[in-house]
Amino acid sequence: MASKKLNGTVIVTYRCNARCSMCSRYKCPSKPEEELSIETIRKLPEMYFTNITGGEPFIRTDLKEIVRELYKKSDRIVISTNGFFTDRILDLCREFPDIGIRISIEGLENTNNEIRGLPDGFNKGYTTLEKLVGMGMKDVGFGMTIQDKNAPDLVPLYKLSDRMGMEFATASLHNSFYFVEAGNIIHDRPMVAQNLETLINELLSSRSPKKWFRAYFNHGLINYIYGQKRLLPCDMSFDTFFIDPYGDVMPCNGTKDKEVMGNLNEQTWEELWNSEKAEAVRKKVRCCDRNCWMIGSVSPAMHKYIWSPAWWVIKHKFLFFWKKKKYSMYENKIARDYRDGKVSREELDRCSTCERNAIVKDGLSTASREQLKGRSGEEIVEADLAKQFEYDGRTDR
Ligand code: SF4
């Protein structure tokens, strides 16, 4: 099982300088001393795709060394970032011009800054993207988490990314230990779905096959926000994995609490991947009912079950060009049922993973949790960053 190339997500840190309204990870940072070492990174298997994420990965001052190691064992690397540390991003990309960079931008300027809570976050992110394009980076794009507040900005932001020749990745609200959230939920589902419908039609009308498949992904997002069963099976932990800053290998980042297959600080990859513990997690994945629709779990499924999205694309391209028939959100039965009053909002809410009174899990180690006694996560990360930039002898970031 371990000999074939895998799809891996490497969570290099839980430290984050943003204050996103839909993710409380910034309140629960990891301790830098405990975060993935280069030795552990070296133990990772060969991957056909690697996503480097956080927290905010560029908070790690040794990110370049991490990328150097991952570069040796990965066909493709994409880093997800909030785009705040422009100089660090540009510096890394000078050495690795063929990696991908996705900057989270949650809407046009005001919406983005409100959701992400980063001072001047939109301009910082946008400027970073422009500079990356300016230096010839090819695989650069926006990432947006669609919710009630930013859904009206969805299409304008897509058009902006299109004009800049950039990728445009979407997601929606999820609840899990990774986001340290249990209360995320879409309130006005028809409004959000309507904006997704417009985006889907924009994507279908393009000449890019990649965008047609993105249209399918966004169709699946409508299905997800109405709390329905995933359109494709979830095979996380079979040929896909996540590793957290403590070396714990997990199937995904969508579970309520951390599901651990093994620890790479203590085991070899082969031991871990072929262990009974890993098998037990795979069994759980087989019956998982959380129905996440995030690119990390959907992209491998779209490749594996290619005929399902391909058939959807062929059908919609045919309808679009020969019958002039646009995609409608009401192709989803649940959207029709809700419109026709056959299902209530409360019933749909119950189909979501939102649990208002749940104890929210954070996946932190004991030592990382200890540091939160008497100090908030925000204070810890701020102090950490102040030290980093003082050491650099710089005031700007
Ligand atoms: S549906 Fe898949 S990605 Fe979501 S929690 Fe379950 S196993 Fe993880």
Side-chain angles (χ1 to χ4, degrees), residues 230 234 236 251-255 285 288-292 294 297:
R230 273 171 69 106
C234 183
M236 301 303 277
C252 61
N253 63 345
T255 50
V285 167
C288 180
D289 61 359
R290 293 181 72 78
N291 291 310
C292 310
M294 293 189 255
S297 70

Side-chain angles (χ1 to χ4, degrees), residues 176-177 254-260 290 361-363:
S176 74
F177 77 92
T255 50
K256 189 169 169 177
D257 202 355
K258 188 156 104 171
E259 296 289 349
V260 182
R290 293 181 72 78
K361 306 290 184 179
D362 56 23

Side-chain angles (χ1 to χ4, degrees), residues 56-67:
E56 169 47 48
F58 283 93
I59 282 189
R60 279 194 68 157
T61 48
D62 58 350
L63 189 65
K64 222 184 214 182
E65 287 167 59
I66 294 174
V67 175

